[in-house]
Amino acid sequence: MPDISHLCSAWSGSPVRLSRKIAGLAVFALAVTGFMAMMAWALLNQSPVTGKSGSTRLDKPAPEFTLPLFEGGELTLSEQSGRPVVINFWASWCAPCRVEARGLEEAWRSYRDRNVLLVGIQTQDTEADGRAYLNEFGVTYPNVIDGDGKVSVDYGVIGLPVTFFVDRDGIVVHRWVGAIDEVRLTGWIDEMVSGATPGGEAEGKNPEGFFEFK
């Protein structure tokens, strides 16, 4: 009679090995399922990057700054207390900034005699390129240079352009992320002039209207 003890031994070990393999596969499947679920949750709940730019400053005092003006001298934000201030962050290389440039200048010409200040803050750019940009678009409202980017960080700016609306008490009451159109801009300025708080959306819907910092 042949010796089949080795076959019996192999057979008796197979269920154990199979059980371990099944358990390992089950753990792996659970891990993959959990990872995919977390990814799906993150995608459904994340905010667009544009929506985050400057969002932490809303309903808070506008961060103070003293920055050099392109035309010489300095501008200090706290010295503008008592009147509405519109702050626009821009750079010469930012295509959406170029889209809104003429509208910002037109708004300045319309409201500068109504005790409204519009100030541009150039960031992540060179002074020479910024000066050429201002000349190209005939900009006459005050523009300052955020040379080291500190003020951009203080305002939570993570891309361009971004426009902040600061009321007479120095509080950031609204903001717009992306290239702002003249109708929306002047409408919100009118609300601030009348003492109201601007309302409505806070970011452009066109992804080409916002350039995220990389």
Side-chain angles (χ1 to χ4, degrees), residues 65-76 90 119-122 127 131 134 142-148 151:
F65 62 79
T66 297
L67 291 173
L69 289 153
F70 274 92
E71 61 266 33
E74 294 181 330
L75 186 146
T76 298
W90 63 274
V119 56
I121 299 182
Q122 182 211 31
E127 182 176 346
R131 195 175 300 280
L134 297 176
N143 272 268
V144 295
I145 305 168
D146 183 23
D148 59 6
V151 175

Side-chain angles (χ1 to χ4, degrees), residues 48-127:
V49 67
T50 55
K52 297 176 182 177
S53 192
S55 62
T56 58
R57 302 317 313 169
L58 283 173
D59 302 319
K60 297 178 182 178
E64 172 70 312
F65 62 79
T66 297
L67 291 173
L69 289 153
F70 274 92
E71 61 266 33
E74 294 181 330
L75 186 146
T76 298
L77 180 62
S78 59
E79 294 178 356
Q80 313 307 319
S81 178
R83 62 170 171 167
V85 179
V86 178
I87 302 173
N88 174 260
F89 285 83
W90 63 274
S92 64
W93 47 259
C94 164
C97 298
R98 306 180 75 84
V99 172
E100 66 180 7
R102 299 192 190 282
L104 288 166
E105 175 62 21
E106 288 299 319
W108 164 246
R109 296 184 182 186
S110 298
Y111 289 92
R112 59 185 174 186
D113 294 329
R114 299 177 63 182
N115 200 32
V116 175
L117 175 66
L118 174 60
V119 56
I121 299 182
Q122 182 211 31
T123 187
Q124 296 205 10
D125 205 353
T126 67
E127 182 176 346

Side-chain angles (χ1 to χ4, degrees), residues 137-159:
F137 292 101
V139 174
T140 61
Y141 58 87
N143 272 268
V144 295
I145 305 168
D146 183 23
D148 59 6
K150 181 181 181 304
V151 175
S152 300
V153 173
D154 290 344
Y155 277 78
V157 173
I158 60 173

Side-chain angles (χ1 to χ4, degrees), residues 152-194:
S152 300
V153 173
D154 290 344
Y155 277 78
V157 173
I158 60 173
L160 298 174
V162 183
T163 305
F164 294 88
F165 296 81
V166 183
D167 67 10
R168 292 182 175 88
D169 298 321
I171 304 299
V172 178
V173 292
H174 205 53
R175 87 194 196 289
W176 179 259
V177 177
I180 190 167
D181 62 87
E182 192 173 349
V183 172
R184 181 176 281 108
L185 173 64
T186 56
W188 286 342
I189 293 176
D190 281 334
E191 290 185 52
M192 288 203 299
V193 169
S194 68

